[in-house]
Amino acid sequence: MTSIAIIGAGPQLGLAIARTFGSQGLDVALISRNRDKLDDLVGKLTAEGITAAAFPADVLDRGALTQSLKDAAAKFGSVDVLEYSPVAGFATALATPVAAEPADVQHEIEFQLYGAIAATKAVLPAMREAGAGTLLFTTGAGSIDPVPQVGNVNAAAAALRNWAINLHKELDGTGVQAAHIGIDVSIGTPAVPGFPTAQPEEISPVYWELHTTKRDQAELVFSL
């Protein structure tokens, strides 16, 4: 049996990805900061016949994040798919390029890029030894086409995108797939009036495709 670890698991895209992979027989490790919310998601998945477990950790706490992935691998035998998509939410102070201080960008770099690197370091050695595995990193489409109002977030997302695509190149021929997913829609409800919106279950099949039939691709952008 294989498993997927979803970092930043929540009730929208994270849950949809869990259902997409869980319905194909993968065990699901859910990782985020809030134990109660994780337990609620585990309950929903369990009721649907999907094996799932919660591993609380904050991506800013590298030790806790690494341990959560080790615990998931110990419970399920291995972590075969890693999906990284934490959302800082209200903890993020938005800043334009003109207004941004180094600290505004540093926090986002810590959250998006450094957390992804730490998570990858925790699971990649076993994947390389097995000659198989999938690493998926999610950002908004601002990582590709930035918007000044969220300049600090876009800068960190672009760094993660660059790193993920470069990782794909480095892992070519190893059996391990790394890819970036850019989401060019609001998820669930419109964030901005008139901006395209998609439901989580419309987006999650993209992740399955990268894991199965599109392993040669370093990036997919979801848009409407």
Side-chain angles (χ1 to χ4, degrees):
M1 186 64 70
T2 58
S3 71
I4 179 172
I6 301 171
I7 299 177
Q12 294 206 75
L13 184 58
L15 181 58
I17 294 170
R19 284 171 167 153
T20 294
F21 281 78
S23 66
Q24 297 294 330
L26 276 75
D27 296 330
V28 178
L30 301 174
I31 300 172
S32 70
R33 288 166 291 187
N34 190 302
R35 159 69 81 172
D36 291 339
K37 291 181 180 179
L38 287 180
D39 287 343
D40 182 61
L41 297 180
V42 169
K44 290 180 180 179
L45 293 169
T46 301
E48 297 169 15
I50 296 171
T51 300
F55 301 90
D58 188 330
V59 299
L60 294 176
D61 184 338
R62 310 286 180 249
L65 179 59
T66 297
Q67 188 61 51
S68 71
L69 289 163
K70 289 182 177 178
D71 292 344
K75 180 174 181 61
F76 294 131
S78 62
V79 172
D80 306 277
V81 183
L82 174 74
E83 193 279 320
Y84 188 87
S85 56
V87 177
F90 294 113
T92 297
L94 303 180
T96 68
V98 170
E101 298 291 340
D104 296 322
V105 180
Q106 178 64 31
H107 176 268
E108 287 303 306
I109 288 286
E110 292 274 357
F111 191 82
Q112 297 196 56
L113 178 61
Y114 295 169
I117 292 173
T120 300
K121 288 287 188 181
V123 300
L124 182 56
M127 290 182 178
R128 296 201 69 173
E129 184 176 351
T134 303
L135 304 161
L136 303 173
F137 306 94
T138 304
T139 72
S143 62
I144 304 166
D145 184 15
V147 179
Q149 289 86 344
V150 288
N152 59 325
V153 176
N154 286 171
L160 175 55
R161 172 181 181 253
N162 181 286
W163 185 80
I165 293 173
N166 227 2
L167 182 61
H168 175 91
K169 295 176 180 179
E170 186 179 9
L171 293 174
D172 183 42
T174 67
V176 181
Q177 156 75 329
H180 168 252
I181 298 93
I183 300 181
D184 194 18
V185 295
S186 293
I187 302 174
T189 57
V192 178
F195 192 73
T197 302
Q199 296 307 307
E201 56 271 17
E202 296 179 81
I203 304 170
S204 59
V206 167
Y207 294 81
W208 184 252
E209 291 171 5
L210 283 166
H211 174 57
T212 55
T213 61
K214 296 183 177 180
R215 296 186 64 80
D216 61 331
Q217 296 194 30
E219 179 174 66
L220 284 177
V221 177
F222 184 93
S223 61
L224 296 176

